[in-house]
Amino acid sequence: MTLTRRSVMVMGAGAVVAFGLPMRASAAGEDKIAEFTGGADMAEGGITLSAPEIAENGNTVPIEVSAPGAEAILVLAMGNPTPGVAEFRFGPLAASQTASTRIRLAGTQDVVAIAKMKDGSFARASSNVKVTIGGCGG
Amino acid sequence: MTRTALIPTLLGAGVIAAGAAFADPVEDTLILNEDIELTTWTEAPAAVEGALSEVISGWHFRGTETRAMQSDDFDNPGMIFVEDAMASWDTVEGEAGKSCASCHGDVEESMKGVRAVYPKWNEDAGEVRTLEMQVNACRTENMEAEPLKYTGTDMTSMVALISSVSRGLPVNVATDGPVAETWEAGKELYYTRTGQLELSCANCHEDNYGRMIRADHLSQGQINGFPVYRLKNTKLNSVHARFKGCVRDTRAETYKPGSPEFVALELYVASRGNGLSVEGPSIRN
Amino acid sequence: MADNVRPRVKAPRKAEPGEAVTIKTLISHPMESGQRKDSDGNPIPRSIIHRFTCEFNGEMVVDVAMEPAISTNPYFEFEAVIPEAGDLKFTWYDDDGDVYEETKTVAMA
């Protein structure tokens, strides 16, 4: 069976996927954030998250995260069946705390990136990505 | 429901939204690997005289990130399949103990320009052949190997390899001479309404390109970019596989890949893109 | 073992001492998320690459914990500092226990 958007969507029980209607943010997402930050406050700024406003296709959405001086960046898809996407840890030979990748989004939702800085503080950025289904190509 | 009643119903249901600005093809230039500039927007060839004033590659109808992904051979996941095919090119298969390389040598030299003129007439066989048909003919007759499944990954990867070495060259399929009859048959198919939705290829790709069909951008339906790595299924898709899907989407009984109908249609649709550069493997949604 | 898994890396062959270079990696892998069902309705079990690391001469550049939301054919782009001549080592860890590796040597310019 080919891995198509349609087959993923059929799985997403209760998920509303029409254009523009937001998905419920999962409580699991907030839990993951709390786990990562230990409940600490997160600054707005100091981290950038680039994601398209409208995803060409939810199966492959290019994103980029950047947080100068960060030790680690956690990326979450708040409306996916499981919110975890990736956690980037930057070592001593990372030239910049920047990374790009391609992710799967099950529907319109917020993608959240949280940076843990070397000084122990946290920063947060989020981006709303519209994911559509429909049209002849699917 | 009669055909005339169907269109207003579809329009009313917001299926075809007129004038949505961001559906229009984006002005941009495709430069491959910072090296070759591809022709993706040019004046209409003779094959579509009267029907279109300009021909535009599907590349212009996709989003910024998708267009960028295609401009670099490393970023383009379709090239993974091309690399697989390069390994197959050198692999001996079949009773005759040959690989593609045994006869054709280096793929970049021997296959340059080939994709640009397919589908084309094969004099010995007395038929119009697509690249897939020619690959299988070579395999069965010259290599004495098993034919590949027409829309399978192995075949589509090989077609992508052959296509990749022609990128930048203009599509230039013949429409007259021995192929004329096939071309006419393909043209008729293109303009014939089928299925419960009573749609022809032209209804969307000629009459409404640049508009939204629900959440999708309608392109001109050009095939210069095939085989296509679709983000939706993260693999390479061949022309006939796409045709099969399109016909199914009109809710009609669809044709088989490799069928005379699809061969004729592929020849006609390819000719509609004469002048555009070979782009495959491209990236689309 | 997952079939047909092949890593690809784009990294420069030469760098000035201390230069920051861009690295791109791609590995062909289905990244079966565990969300899909087969035609009989049975869930297809998760089978993904769950970790990717890049090191230079043994020192860490980046270490990524990956979840099923990373797309098929995982792609990463990041920057590394090249302090001296040496080897960039890339490692991908599969749920099924397989480990895929690729090494790229970088000379001094």
Side-chain angles (χ1 to χ4, degrees), chain A residues 1-15 17 57-59 81 104-107 132-134 137-138, chain B residues 231-235 248, chain C residues 30-44 72:
Chain A
M1 180 202 208
T2 45
L3 183 69
T4 63
R5 289 275 305 115
R6 193 161 280 133
S7 49
V8 172
M9 282 328 305
V10 170
M11 291 340 113
V17 296
N57 188 287
N59 214 11
R104 296 173 175 149
L105 296 177
T132 63
I133 250 192
Chain B
L231 299 178
K232 165 187 148 135
N233 61 16
T234 56
K235 65 175 193 149
R248 181 208 60 209
Chain C
M31 295 293 281
E32 189 62 66
S33 66
Q35 296 287 335
R36 295 198 305 151
K37 293 201 168 85
D38 63 19
S39 41
D40 297 323
N42 303 314
I44 303 174
T72 304

mmCIF file of all heavy atoms in Angstrom, chain A residues 1-15 17 57-59 81 104-107 132-134 137-138, chain B residues 231-235 248, chain C residues 30-44 72:
data_model
loop_
_atom_site.group_PDB
_atom_site.id
_atom_site.type_symbol
_atom_site.label_atom_id
_atom_site.label_comp_id
_atom_site.label_asym_id
_atom_site.label_seq_id
_atom_site.Cartn_x
_atom_site.Cartn_y
_atom_site.Cartn_z
ATOM 1 N N MET A 1 0.877 -1.193 0.000
ATOM 2 C CA MET A 1 0.000 0.000 0.000
ATOM 3 C C MET A 1 0.900 1.225 0.000
ATOM 4 O O MET A 1 1.795 1.341 0.819
ATOM 5 C CB MET A 1 -0.827 -0.024 1.269
ATOM 6 C CG MET A 1 -1.781 1.144 1.423
ATOM 7 S SD MET A 1 -2.191 1.337 3.147
ATOM 8 C CE MET A 1 -3.786 2.039 3.060
ATOM 9 N N THR A 2 0.730 2.106 -0.916
ATOM 10 C CA THR A 2 1.622 3.273 -0.932
ATOM 11 C C THR A 2 1.242 4.210 0.203
ATOM 12 O O THR A 2 0.086 4.312 0.583
ATOM 13 C CB THR A 2 1.518 4.039 -2.254
ATOM 14 O OG1 THR A 2 0.133 4.171 -2.594
ATOM 15 C CG2 THR A 2 2.253 3.305 -3.362
ATOM 16 N N LEU A 3 2.248 4.857 0.697
ATOM 17 C CA LEU A 3 2.049 5.766 1.815
ATOM 18 C C LEU A 3 1.474 7.053 1.262
ATOM 19 O O LEU A 3 2.186 7.881 0.749
ATOM 20 C CB LEU A 3 3.398 6.011 2.498
ATOM 21 C CG LEU A 3 3.406 6.887 3.737
ATOM 22 C CD1 LEU A 3 2.708 6.178 4.884
ATOM 23 C CD2 LEU A 3 4.833 7.189 4.141
ATOM 24 N N THR A 4 0.177 7.222 1.296
ATOM 25 C CA THR A 4 -0.415 8.443 0.744
ATOM 26 C C THR A 4 -1.033 9.249 1.870
ATOM 27 O O THR A 4 -1.294 8.742 2.954
ATOM 28 C CB THR A 4 -1.534 8.134 -0.265
ATOM 29 O OG1 THR A 4 -2.592 7.454 0.435
ATOM 30 C CG2 THR A 4 -1.031 7.272 -1.391
ATOM 31 N N ARG A 5 -1.247 10.505 1.583
ATOM 32 C CA ARG A 5 -1.886 11.401 2.544
ATOM 33 C C ARG A 5 -3.248 10.851 2.915
ATOM 34 O O ARG A 5 -3.659 10.885 4.043
ATOM 35 C CB ARG A 5 -2.043 12.794 1.923
ATOM 36 C CG ARG A 5 -0.743 13.510 1.766
ATOM 37 C CD ARG A 5 -0.350 14.250 3.042
ATOM 38 N NE ARG A 5 -1.393 15.157 3.468
ATOM 39 C CZ ARG A 5 -2.085 15.039 4.584
ATOM 40 N NH1 ARG A 5 -1.847 14.053 5.420
ATOM 41 N NH2 ARG A 5 -3.034 15.888 4.883
ATOM 42 N N ARG A 6 -3.935 10.340 1.868
ATOM 43 C CA ARG A 6 -5.297 9.857 2.086
ATOM 44 C C ARG A 6 -5.321 8.751 3.133
ATOM 45 O O ARG A 6 -6.156 8.736 4.014
ATOM 46 C CB ARG A 6 -5.866 9.359 0.753
ATOM 47 C CG ARG A 6 -7.358 9.120 0.798
ATOM 48 C CD ARG A 6 -7.951 9.089 -0.595
ATOM 49 N NE ARG A 6 -8.159 10.408 -1.154
ATOM 50 C CZ ARG A 6 -7.812 10.782 -2.381
ATOM 51 N NH1 ARG A 6 -7.213 9.937 -3.184
ATOM 52 N NH2 ARG A 6 -8.030 11.984 -2.805
ATOM 53 N N SER A 7 -4.386 7.847 3.062
ATOM 54 C CA SER A 7 -4.422 6.730 4.007
ATOM 55 C C SER A 7 -4.083 7.200 5.414
ATOM 56 O O SER A 7 -4.621 6.708 6.384
ATOM 57 C CB SER A 7 -3.492 5.602 3.561
ATOM 58 O OG SER A 7 -2.213 6.089 3.237
ATOM 59 N N VAL A 8 -3.214 8.199 5.513
ATOM 60 C CA VAL A 8 -2.909 8.727 6.846
ATOM 61 C C VAL A 8 -4.137 9.408 7.416
ATOM 62 O O VAL A 8 -4.453 9.263 8.592
ATOM 63 C CB VAL A 8 -1.718 9.722 6.785
ATOM 64 C CG1 VAL A 8 -1.528 10.424 8.117
ATOM 65 C CG2 VAL A 8 -0.447 8.985 6.402
ATOM 66 N N MET A 9 -4.812 10.123 6.553
ATOM 67 C CA MET A 9 -5.980 10.878 7.009
ATOM 68 C C MET A 9 -7.098 9.990 7.511
ATOM 69 O O MET A 9 -7.769 10.308 8.481
ATOM 70 C CB MET A 9 -6.514 11.764 5.880
ATOM 71 C CG MET A 9 -5.715 13.030 5.667
ATOM 72 S SD MET A 9 -4.994 13.652 7.189
ATOM 73 C CE MET A 9 -6.417 13.788 8.227
ATOM 74 N N VAL A 10 -7.299 8.876 6.828
ATOM 75 C CA VAL A 10 -8.374 7.980 7.253
ATOM 76 C C VAL A 10 -8.120 7.516 8.686
ATOM 77 O O VAL A 10 -9.044 7.288 9.459
ATOM 78 C CB VAL A 10 -8.480 6.785 6.267
ATOM 79 C CG1 VAL A 10 -9.398 5.712 6.801
ATOM 80 C CG2 VAL A 10 -8.976 7.266 4.923
ATOM 81 N N MET A 11 -6.870 7.406 9.038
ATOM 82 C CA MET A 11 -6.498 6.997 10.392
ATOM 83 C C MET A 11 -6.821 8.042 11.437
ATOM 84 O O MET A 11 -7.171 7.737 12.546
ATOM 85 C CB MET A 11 -4.998 6.725 10.509
ATOM 86 C CG MET A 11 -4.458 5.507 9.791
ATOM 87 S SD MET A 11 -5.643 4.287 9.390
ATOM 88 C CE MET A 11 -5.604 4.418 7.642
ATOM 89 N N GLY A 12 -6.670 9.293 11.053
ATOM 90 C CA GLY A 12 -6.780 10.352 12.066
ATOM 91 C C GLY A 12 -8.201 10.458 12.597
ATOM 92 O O GLY A 12 -8.982 11.274 12.134
ATOM 93 N N ALA A 13 -8.527 9.645 13.577
ATOM 94 C CA ALA A 13 -9.909 9.580 14.048
ATOM 95 C C ALA A 13 -10.337 10.918 14.592
ATOM 96 O O ALA A 13 -9.652 11.529 15.402
ATOM 97 C CB ALA A 13 -10.028 8.509 15.132
ATOM 98 N N GLY A 14 -11.449 11.392 14.173
ATOM 99 C CA GLY A 14 -11.994 12.621 14.724
ATOM 100 C C GLY A 14 -11.289 13.877 14.258
ATOM 101 O O GLY A 14 -11.610 14.954 14.708
ATOM 102 N N ALA A 15 -10.325 13.742 13.360
ATOM 103 C CA ALA A 15 -9.602 14.946 12.955
ATOM 104 C C ALA A 15 -10.356 15.670 11.851
ATOM 105 O O ALA A 15 -10.791 15.067 10.887
ATOM 106 C CB ALA A 15 -8.212 14.560 12.477
ATOM 107 N N VAL A 17 -10.265 18.007 8.792
ATOM 108 C CA VAL A 17 -9.158 18.394 7.925
ATOM 109 C C VAL A 17 -9.534 19.349 6.808
ATOM 110 O O VAL A 17 -8.771 19.579 5.912
ATOM 111 C CB VAL A 17 -8.477 17.156 7.310
ATOM 112 C CG1 VAL A 17 -7.850 16.334 8.389
ATOM 113 C CG2 VAL A 17 -9.482 16.339 6.517
ATOM 114 N N ASN A 57 1.878 19.911 0.629
ATOM 115 C CA ASN A 57 1.270 18.632 0.955
ATOM 116 C C ASN A 57 1.685 18.268 2.365
ATOM 117 O O ASN A 57 2.855 18.380 2.711
ATOM 118 C CB ASN A 57 1.744 17.559 -0.024
ATOM 119 C CG ASN A 57 0.977 16.270 0.173
ATOM 120 O OD1 ASN A 57 1.187 15.553 1.146
ATOM 121 N ND2 ASN A 57 0.044 15.991 -0.711
ATOM 122 N N GLY A 58 0.739 17.862 3.184
ATOM 123 C CA GLY A 58 1.031 17.604 4.594
ATOM 124 C C GLY A 58 2.033 16.497 4.823
ATOM 125 O O GLY A 58 2.587 16.370 5.908
ATOM 126 N N ASN A 59 2.282 15.697 3.809
ATOM 127 C CA ASN A 59 3.190 14.571 3.965
ATOM 128 C C ASN A 59 4.657 15.001 4.043
ATOM 129 O O ASN A 59 5.492 14.307 4.601
ATOM 130 C CB ASN A 59 3.011 13.643 2.769
ATOM 131 C CG ASN A 59 3.192 12.191 3.113
ATOM 132 O OD1 ASN A 59 3.255 11.831 4.272
ATOM 133 N ND2 ASN A 59 3.287 11.365 2.093
ATOM 134 N N PRO A 81 -1.349 13.234 15.743
ATOM 135 C CA PRO A 81 -1.745 12.193 16.697
ATOM 136 C C PRO A 81 -0.737 12.044 17.836
ATOM 137 O O PRO A 81 -1.114 11.851 18.976
ATOM 138 C CB PRO A 81 -1.783 10.914 15.852
ATOM 139 C CG PRO A 81 -1.958 11.375 14.454
ATOM 140 C CD PRO A 81 -1.373 12.736 14.357
ATOM 141 N N ARG A 104 5.915 15.684 8.698
ATOM 142 C CA ARG A 104 4.550 15.326 8.331
ATOM 143 C C ARG A 104 3.573 16.029 9.255
ATOM 144 O O ARG A 104 3.702 15.967 10.472
ATOM 145 C CB ARG A 104 4.327 13.816 8.519
ATOM 146 C CG ARG A 104 5.164 12.942 7.612
ATOM 147 C CD ARG A 104 4.984 11.507 8.011
ATOM 148 N NE ARG A 104 5.661 10.600 7.103
ATOM 149 C CZ ARG A 104 6.170 9.426 7.453
ATOM 150 N NH1 ARG A 104 6.072 9.022 8.706
ATOM 151 N NH2 ARG A 104 6.762 8.661 6.570
ATOM 152 N N LEU A 105 2.593 16.676 8.671
ATOM 153 C CA LEU A 105 1.547 17.324 9.467
ATOM 154 C C LEU A 105 0.209 16.734 9.078
ATOM 155 O O LEU A 105 -0.148 16.721 7.903
ATOM 156 C CB LEU A 105 1.553 18.838 9.216
ATOM 157 C CG LEU A 105 2.829 19.559 9.647
ATOM 158 C CD1 LEU A 105 2.748 21.035 9.280
ATOM 159 C CD2 LEU A 105 3.059 19.403 11.146
ATOM 160 N N ALA A 106 -0.526 16.261 10.076
ATOM 161 C CA ALA A 106 -1.783 15.567 9.792
ATOM 162 C C ALA A 106 -2.922 16.505 9.447
ATOM 163 O O ALA A 106 -3.962 16.068 8.980
ATOM 164 C CB ALA A 106 -2.180 14.695 10.982
ATOM 165 N N GLY A 107 -2.759 17.773 9.689
ATOM 166 C CA GLY A 107 -3.814 18.727 9.378
ATOM 167 C C GLY A 107 -3.349 20.112 9.760
ATOM 168 O O GLY A 107 -2.227 20.286 10.241
ATOM 169 N N THR A 132 -4.027 21.212 3.617
ATOM 170 C CA THR A 132 -5.284 21.006 2.907
ATOM 171 C C THR A 132 -5.343 19.626 2.282
ATOM 172 O O THR A 132 -4.339 18.972 2.054
ATOM 173 C CB THR A 132 -5.410 22.030 1.766
ATOM 174 O OG1 THR A 132 -4.355 21.785 0.841
ATOM 175 C CG2 THR A 132 -5.300 23.434 2.281
ATOM 176 N N ILE A 133 -6.571 19.233 2.025
ATOM 177 C CA ILE A 133 -6.765 18.000 1.266
ATOM 178 C C ILE A 133 -7.824 18.348 0.256
ATOM 179 O O ILE A 133 -8.760 19.070 0.552
ATOM 180 C CB ILE A 133 -7.215 16.848 2.185
ATOM 181 C CG1 ILE A 133 -6.092 15.836 2.327
ATOM 182 C CG2 ILE A 133 -8.445 16.161 1.626
ATOM 183 C CD1 ILE A 133 -6.494 14.557 2.960
ATOM 184 N N GLY A 134 -7.675 17.865 -0.940
ATOM 185 C CA GLY A 134 -8.760 18.129 -1.861
ATOM 186 C C GLY A 134 -8.275 18.566 -3.207
ATOM 187 O O GLY A 134 -7.165 19.015 -3.370
ATOM 188 N N GLY A 137 -5.752 16.031 -7.476
ATOM 189 C CA GLY A 137 -4.529 15.317 -7.165
ATOM 190 C C GLY A 137 -4.539 14.762 -5.758
ATOM 191 O O GLY A 137 -3.699 13.997 -5.376
ATOM 192 N N GLY A 138 -5.484 15.169 -4.952
ATOM 193 C CA GLY A 138 -5.532 14.714 -3.571
ATOM 194 C C GLY A 138 -4.852 15.716 -2.675
ATOM 195 O O GLY A 138 -4.540 15.448 -1.568
ATOM 196 N N LEU B 231 5.116 14.738 -3.345
ATOM 197 C CA LEU B 231 5.245 14.874 -1.889
ATOM 198 C C LEU B 231 4.181 14.030 -1.211
ATOM 199 O O LEU B 231 4.371 13.515 -0.115
ATOM 200 C CB LEU B 231 5.078 16.339 -1.481
ATOM 201 C CG LEU B 231 6.109 17.290 -2.070
ATOM 202 C CD1 LEU B 231 5.823 18.713 -1.636
ATOM 203 C CD2 LEU B 231 7.515 16.884 -1.646
ATOM 204 N N LYS B 232 3.056 13.878 -1.893
ATOM 205 C CA LYS B 232 1.925 13.145 -1.331
ATOM 206 C C LYS B 232 2.251 11.675 -1.095
ATOM 207 O O LYS B 232 1.850 11.112 -0.097
ATOM 208 C CB LYS B 232 0.765 13.277 -2.310
ATOM 209 C CG LYS B 232 -0.363 12.319 -2.113
ATOM 210 C CD LYS B 232 -1.364 12.461 -3.254
ATOM 211 C CE LYS B 232 -2.032 11.137 -3.549
ATOM 212 N NZ LYS B 232 -3.469 11.277 -3.719
ATOM 213 N N ASN B 233 2.966 11.027 -2.012
ATOM 214 C CA ASN B 233 3.257 9.606 -1.801
ATOM 215 C C ASN B 233 4.756 9.308 -1.732
ATOM 216 O O ASN B 233 5.158 8.158 -1.704
ATOM 217 C CB ASN B 233 2.548 8.720 -2.837
ATOM 218 C CG ASN B 233 2.969 9.023 -4.253
ATOM 219 O OD1 ASN B 233 3.974 9.676 -4.502
ATOM 220 N ND2 ASN B 233 2.201 8.526 -5.212
ATOM 221 N N THR B 234 5.547 10.363 -1.673
ATOM 222 C CA THR B 234 7.003 10.280 -1.496
ATOM 223 C C THR B 234 7.653 9.231 -2.384
ATOM 224 O O THR B 234 8.516 8.467 -1.950
ATOM 225 C CB THR B 234 7.399 10.012 -0.027
ATOM 226 O OG1 THR B 234 6.748 8.822 0.437
ATOM 227 C CG2 THR B 234 7.011 11.166 0.853
ATOM 228 N N LYS B 235 7.200 9.189 -3.661
ATOM 229 C CA LYS B 235 7.880 8.314 -4.595
ATOM 230 C C LYS B 235 7.706 8.848 -6.005
ATOM 231 O O LYS B 235 6.965 9.794 -6.227
ATOM 232 C CB LYS B 235 7.335 6.883 -4.501
ATOM 233 C CG LYS B 235 5.905 6.744 -4.911
ATOM 234 C CD LYS B 235 5.464 5.289 -4.898
ATOM 235 C CE LYS B 235 4.136 5.230 -5.639
ATOM 236 N NZ LYS B 235 3.862 4.036 -6.333
ATOM 237 N N ARG B 248 -9.622 8.160 -13.285
ATOM 238 C CA ARG B 248 -10.376 7.655 -12.135
ATOM 239 C C ARG B 248 -11.043 8.804 -11.386
ATOM 240 O O ARG B 248 -12.154 8.691 -10.889
ATOM 241 C CB ARG B 248 -9.431 6.880 -11.227
ATOM 242 C CG ARG B 248 -10.069 6.271 -9.987
ATOM 243 C CD ARG B 248 -9.051 6.137 -8.874
ATOM 244 N NE ARG B 248 -8.505 7.444 -8.526
ATOM 245 C CZ ARG B 248 -7.280 7.659 -8.045
ATOM 246 N NH1 ARG B 248 -6.460 6.660 -7.854
ATOM 247 N NH2 ARG B 248 -6.883 8.872 -7.766
ATOM 248 N N PRO C 30 11.445 4.444 4.434
ATOM 249 C CA PRO C 30 10.002 4.710 4.422
ATOM 250 C C PRO C 30 9.458 5.422 5.659
ATOM 251 O O PRO C 30 8.414 6.056 5.602
ATOM 252 C CB PRO C 30 9.368 3.325 4.308
ATOM 253 C CG PRO C 30 10.429 2.355 4.682
ATOM 254 C CD PRO C 30 11.739 2.995 4.409
ATOM 255 N N MET C 31 10.149 5.354 6.789
ATOM 256 C CA MET C 31 9.679 6.002 8.026
ATOM 257 C C MET C 31 8.224 5.611 8.286
ATOM 258 O O MET C 31 7.310 6.447 8.291
ATOM 259 C CB MET C 31 9.815 7.518 7.942
ATOM 260 C CG MET C 31 11.251 8.010 7.847
ATOM 261 S SD MET C 31 12.222 7.710 9.337
ATOM 262 C CE MET C 31 11.671 9.047 10.396
ATOM 263 N N GLU C 32 7.993 4.322 8.418
ATOM 264 C CA GLU C 32 6.640 3.813 8.696
ATOM 265 C C GLU C 32 6.212 4.318 10.059
ATOM 266 O O GLU C 32 6.784 3.937 11.082
ATOM 267 C CB GLU C 32 6.688 2.268 8.648
ATOM 268 C CG GLU C 32 5.332 1.621 8.701
ATOM 269 C CD GLU C 32 4.464 1.994 7.511
ATOM 270 O OE1 GLU C 32 4.805 1.606 6.386
ATOM 271 O OE2 GLU C 32 3.452 2.690 7.723
ATOM 272 N N SER C 33 5.172 5.141 10.064
ATOM 273 C CA SER C 33 4.848 5.900 11.278
ATOM 274 C C SER C 33 4.155 5.093 12.365
ATOM 275 O O SER C 33 4.180 5.475 13.524
ATOM 276 C CB SER C 33 3.946 7.083 10.921
ATOM 277 O OG SER C 33 2.699 6.583 10.452
ATOM 278 N N GLY C 34 3.509 4.001 11.969
ATOM 279 C CA GLY C 34 2.724 3.277 12.965
ATOM 280 C C GLY C 34 1.282 3.724 12.982
ATOM 281 O O GLY C 34 0.444 3.177 13.685
ATOM 282 N N GLN C 35 0.956 4.747 12.173
ATOM 283 C CA GLN C 35 -0.413 5.255 12.113
ATOM 284 C C GLN C 35 -1.231 4.573 11.019
ATOM 285 O O GLN C 35 -2.450 4.645 11.019
ATOM 286 C CB GLN C 35 -0.403 6.769 11.812
ATOM 287 C CG GLN C 35 0.250 7.613 12.882
ATOM 288 C CD GLN C 35 -0.606 7.739 14.120
ATOM 289 O OE1 GLN C 35 -1.819 7.616 14.057
ATOM 290 N NE2 GLN C 35 0.017 7.959 15.255
ATOM 291 N N ARG C 36 -0.549 3.935 10.069
ATOM 292 C CA ARG C 36 -1.282 3.396 8.923
ATOM 293 C C ARG C 36 -1.828 2.013 9.229
ATOM 294 O O ARG C 36 -1.306 1.300 10.085
ATOM 295 C CB ARG C 36 -0.360 3.293 7.707
ATOM 296 C CG ARG C 36 0.133 4.617 7.208
ATOM 297 C CD ARG C 36 0.668 4.525 5.804
ATOM 298 N NE ARG C 36 1.700 3.519 5.639
ATOM 299 C CZ ARG C 36 1.938 2.870 4.509
ATOM 300 N NH1 ARG C 36 1.202 3.128 3.448
ATOM 301 N NH2 ARG C 36 2.901 1.992 4.424
ATOM 302 N N LYS C 37 -2.865 1.631 8.458
ATOM 303 C CA LYS C 37 -3.392 0.276 8.582
ATOM 304 C C LYS C 37 -3.254 -0.406 7.231
ATOM 305 O O LYS C 37 -3.312 0.240 6.193
ATOM 306 C CB LYS C 37 -4.858 0.306 9.005
ATOM 307 C CG LYS C 37 -5.084 0.837 10.414
ATOM 308 C CD LYS C 37 -6.428 0.379 10.973
ATOM 309 C CE LYS C 37 -6.533 0.650 12.452
ATOM 310 N NZ LYS C 37 -6.989 2.003 12.783
ATOM 311 N N ASP C 38 -3.094 -1.721 7.247
ATOM 312 C CA ASP C 38 -3.016 -2.434 5.965
ATOM 313 C C ASP C 38 -4.425 -2.688 5.445
ATOM 314 O O ASP C 38 -5.414 -2.308 6.060
ATOM 315 C CB ASP C 38 -2.207 -3.732 6.098
ATOM 316 C CG ASP C 38 -2.845 -4.737 7.048
ATOM 317 O OD1 ASP C 38 -4.060 -4.624 7.327
ATOM 318 O OD2 ASP C 38 -2.123 -5.622 7.530
ATOM 319 N N SER C 39 -4.508 -3.379 4.287
ATOM 320 C CA SER C 39 -5.819 -3.539 3.656
ATOM 321 C C SER C 39 -6.777 -4.377 4.482
ATOM 322 O O SER C 39 -7.978 -4.344 4.277
ATOM 323 C CB SER C 39 -5.664 -4.125 2.250
ATOM 324 O OG SER C 39 -4.678 -5.127 2.260
ATOM 325 N N ASP C 40 -6.260 -5.150 5.446
ATOM 326 C CA ASP C 40 -7.157 -5.917 6.319
ATOM 327 C C ASP C 40 -7.562 -5.135 7.552
ATOM 328 O O ASP C 40 -8.291 -5.645 8.398
ATOM 329 C CB ASP C 40 -6.477 -7.227 6.775
ATOM 330 C CG ASP C 40 -6.176 -8.137 5.608
ATOM 331 O OD1 ASP C 40 -7.011 -8.175 4.680
ATOM 332 O OD2 ASP C 40 -5.109 -8.784 5.620
ATOM 333 N N GLY C 41 -7.051 -3.919 7.664
ATOM 334 C CA GLY C 41 -7.393 -3.095 8.819
ATOM 335 C C GLY C 41 -6.465 -3.270 9.995
ATOM 336 O O GLY C 41 -6.682 -2.703 11.063
ATOM 337 N N ASN C 42 -5.407 -4.064 9.820
ATOM 338 C CA ASN C 42 -4.454 -4.237 10.919
ATOM 339 C C ASN C 42 -3.429 -3.116 10.915
ATOM 340 O O ASN C 42 -2.927 -2.757 9.857
ATOM 341 C CB ASN C 42 -3.727 -5.579 10.781
ATOM 342 C CG ASN C 42 -4.689 -6.732 10.727
ATOM 343 O OD1 ASN C 42 -5.618 -6.819 11.521
ATOM 344 N ND2 ASN C 42 -4.505 -7.606 9.750
ATOM 345 N N PRO C 43 -3.087 -2.597 12.090
ATOM 346 C CA PRO C 43 -2.103 -1.507 12.109
ATOM 347 C C PRO C 43 -0.746 -2.003 11.624
ATOM 348 O O PRO C 43 -0.307 -3.096 11.976
ATOM 349 C CB PRO C 43 -2.025 -1.106 13.583
ATOM 350 C CG PRO C 43 -3.104 -1.820 14.286
ATOM 351 C CD PRO C 43 -3.595 -2.925 13.426
ATOM 352 N N ILE C 44 -0.106 -1.181 10.780
ATOM 353 C CA ILE C 44 1.246 -1.509 10.334
ATOM 354 C C ILE C 44 2.187 -0.987 11.409
ATOM 355 O O ILE C 44 2.147 0.209 11.737
ATOM 356 C CB ILE C 44 1.549 -0.836 8.976
ATOM 357 C CG1 ILE C 44 0.507 -1.263 7.941
ATOM 358 C CG2 ILE C 44 2.955 -1.185 8.504
ATOM 359 C CD1 ILE C 44 0.632 -0.534 6.620
ATOM 360 N N THR C 72 9.116 10.646 5.138
ATOM 361 C CA THR C 72 9.820 9.593 4.404
ATOM 362 C C THR C 72 11.045 10.192 3.744
ATOM 363 O O THR C 72 11.008 11.333 3.282
ATOM 364 C CB THR C 72 8.890 9.039 3.307
ATOM 365 O OG1 THR C 72 7.686 8.603 3.919
ATOM 366 C CG2 THR C 72 9.525 7.895 2.552
#
